[in-house]
Amino acid sequence: MSQRVSDEAAKKAMGEIISGASSRRHGDSLPNIHKVGSPPKQTLLQEIKHSVVETFFPDKPLHKFKGQSPFRVFLLCLQSLFPIFEWGRDYNLKKFRGDFISGLTIASLCIPQDIAYAKLANLEPQYALYTSFVAPLVYAFMGSSRDIAIGPVAVVSLLLGTTLSDEISDFKSHDYLRLAFTATFFAGVTQMALGVLRLGFLIDFLSHAAIVGFMAGAAITIALQQLKGLFGIKDFTKKTDIVSVMRSVFKSAHHGWNWETLVIGLAFLAFLLVTKYIAKKNKKLFWVAAISPMISVIVSTFFVFITRADKKGVAIVRHVKQGVNPASANEIFFSGKYLGAGIRIGVIAGMVALTEAVAIGRTFAAMKDYALDGNKEMMAMGAMNIAGSLTSCYVATGSFSRSAVNYMAGCKTAVSNIVMSMVLLLTLLLITPLFKYTPNAVLASIIIAAVLGLVNIEAIILLWKIDKFDFVACIGALLGVVFKSVEIGLLIAVAISFAKILLQVTRPRTAVLGKLPGTTVYRNVLQYPKATQINGMLIVRVDSAIYFSNSNYIKESILRWLSGEEAQRVKSGLSRIEYVTVEMSPVIDIDTSGIHAFEELFKSLQKRKVQLILANPGPIVIEKLCASKLTDLIGEDKIFLTVADAVSTFGPKGEGEV
């Protein structure tokens, strides 16, 4: 026998609805039908507070300061700002041994890479070396990653080179250098502001698919740019798109290529690729690939020096300024016509650098199973770039190739960055004159070998298999970079990422549910073909929160399901649909537009002599339904805890499955 709770009791429960019960319907055995509970009512201030806390302070950063003495609070603040004071207490000689080896290894990799990357940014080689001296030192004290290796990277260097040269075409002018420092300063300010204001969630709006495509496109563009150094071409286009670059290469084929340069470049490119292949096949031989760029520089420099190949047209570095970083605080544009450009370029470069660093940091943190504090990373990145802009550096971030080598070499903490920084200091003080005869072709081959790993073919294929929209986002970003520019590619990546969000919000999925045989479980009939629908009832699940942006679409979608199913059932000789049950467990929230849409849905169903039933509304949803009196309109006896309860109450007796 079923038992009904009186209307008076239902009103006292404020939306805690008790639905009628039937002990045996469709083979279901439901001795207890539970009521839908309404949560304690929150004030507007409490709701705002909860939203702010979950958005900006989900990690509860102030929790550890409660009940502490003033001195202890000071120490905790110091540790929060400089994590080195926290993990440094447990530092020992064994850890230093691993960090020392790692630091030396990544230093041997970063020196030739830095000299090459400086050319991408259209800067003198010493500025990249300055960057690898200052930035890692700052990061080691403030960063939370144990594995990330800091310095100039190919993508950011290319981005700076293209955006800066758009403003000042003569990259040998002093204003170009000043604009580079200005962009670096504002990149740091942007990163620091994101950390201080705890706005790190903003970088999550750039999807993984868009990043994969952007990085692949940037890698192809960077590799194409190196054809100038690899072929020894003097008259080369300043544009970065593939059409302009290839036209420039083939245009100079008859008279502009230098065969000595080509032989040097291709020989060392083959050597670098072979060492990378060896390291990939045998992880223990990672050091072979790590030291191969330095070996290439040493051997090629010696070869050019003894043969004087530079007199036969082989382009060389010629000069790397010796000494430590000069101050550059007075070089930054804080006014004048280049201030706006410096801010714009800095914001773009800062966001790209931050996205790359956080992605790399999260990857290695997951591999070693430790927490990476995103806000601390932003603070560290911002501080090191601000400090760098004041000491003749340009934008630095985490390097994937160096971080991978750092990880494989057995680094334990960020001290490996300090070791690398000290090696760079010695290089600046003692070794830089030795790079005079280094051929540009070898630097080009080092860059090409380094960026090939950014073209992740496997990830792109996986995107196609998993999500076609993600694949489109990836390819769109890739083609935008390759055929237009780095900025356009980045814009496409961001635009497609936002388009995906908007599409998912405005066009959520709805599904018709059926009962799995022998259970009281109701699932999507497309996913489970054996699931049977209930005669006289349509069960629809809404897989999204219901807001102003999608409420009308959801209402129309439910009505379309009803029309289609009703026509099909009548054609099959089954009884007409008398009840539409909306399964609301995925609906985490509903706004006034959503409630209005349900009111319209209720009225539309009434005209068709169909009853509306709601199943399993969440706490926020049921609270808003009660507050809007929609529960009174629908009827409190038509709101259930589960679909099975609704079917047990209003479904036909006996075997009523379709």
Side-chain angles (χ1 to χ4, degrees), residues 267-286:
F268 282 100
L269 178 59
F271 168 70
L272 291 166
L273 293 177
V274 168
T275 57
K276 286 188 73 173
Y277 178 78
I278 292 172
K280 187 177 181 179
K281 286 295 182 182
N282 189 343
K283 298 296 184 183
K284 293 182 179 179
L285 296 177
F286 71 91

Side-chain angles (χ1 to χ4, degrees), residues 436-451:
K436 178 180 178 181
Y437 290 99
T438 301
N440 289 339
V442 167
L443 300 179
S445 65
I446 289 172
I447 292 178
I448 292 173
V451 300

Side-chain angles (χ1 to χ4, degrees), residues 79 82-92 95 140 413-415:
Q79 290 175 0
F82 301 102
I84 192 171
F85 290 115
E86 184 175 359
W87 55 259
R89 293 176 301 176
D90 302 323
Y91 200 72
N92 53 42
K95 290 182 179 179
T413 67
V415 170

Side-chain angles (χ1 to χ4, degrees), residues 503-579:
L503 188 63
Q504 289 177 336
V505 170
T506 58
R507 293 294 182 266
R509 297 179 186 274
T510 56
V512 172
L513 306 186
K515 178 174 172 289
L516 295 179
T519 71
T520 58
V521 177
Y522 291 80
R523 290 293 182 266
N524 188 341
V525 294
L526 295 179
Q527 184 179 2
Y528 298 93
K530 292 183 179 180
T532 53
Q533 296 187 52
I534 306 303
N535 192 19
M537 181 178 287
L538 174 66
I539 306 168
V540 180
R541 188 184 66 217
V542 178
D543 293 334
S544 167
I546 303 174
Y547 294 129
F548 65 93
S549 58
N550 61 22
S551 57
N552 190 61
Y553 173 80
I554 290 172
K555 181 197 73 175
E556 296 296 334
S557 181
I558 293 172
L559 291 174
R560 281 195 298 270
W561 278 120
L562 175 61
S563 299
E565 286 292 325
E566 195 164 39
Q568 186 176 348
R569 294 188 191 185
V570 169
K571 187 182 295 184
S572 302
L574 300 171
S575 60
R576 63 179 294 274
I577 296 173
E578 298 180 24
Y579 299 95

Side-chain angles (χ1 to χ4, degrees), residues 182-197:
T182 305
T184 303
F185 176 81
F186 286 106
V189 169
T190 300
Q191 294 167 337
M192 180 74 80
L194 289 173
V196 172
L197 300 176

Side-chain angles (χ1 to χ4, degrees), residues 449-490:
V451 300
L452 285 179
L454 296 177
V455 184
N456 195 337
I457 302 296
E458 293 179 359
I460 295 174
I461 294 173
L462 188 62
L463 289 173
W464 170 260
K465 292 179 179 178
I466 295 175
D467 191 318
K468 301 298 187 291
F469 199 97
D470 274 350
F471 177 79
V472 171
C474 174
I475 297 301
L478 189 156
L479 296 178
V481 174
V482 171
F483 284 96
K484 191 61 180 176
S485 65
V486 177
E487 309 97 283
I488 295 298
L490 184 61

Side-chain angles (χ1 to χ4, degrees), residues 341-379:
I343 295 173
R344 177 175 51 82
I345 296 169
V347 170
I348 296 172
M351 292 295 286
V352 172
L354 193 58
T355 302
E356 185 172 358
V358 172
I360 293 168
R362 285 175 178 171
T363 300
F364 289 102
M367 292 169 68
K368 284 191 175 179
D369 193 26
Y370 65 88
L372 187 76
D373 191 320
N375 289 296
K376 286 182 181 178
E377 287 298 289
M378 293 171 209
M379 295 279 286

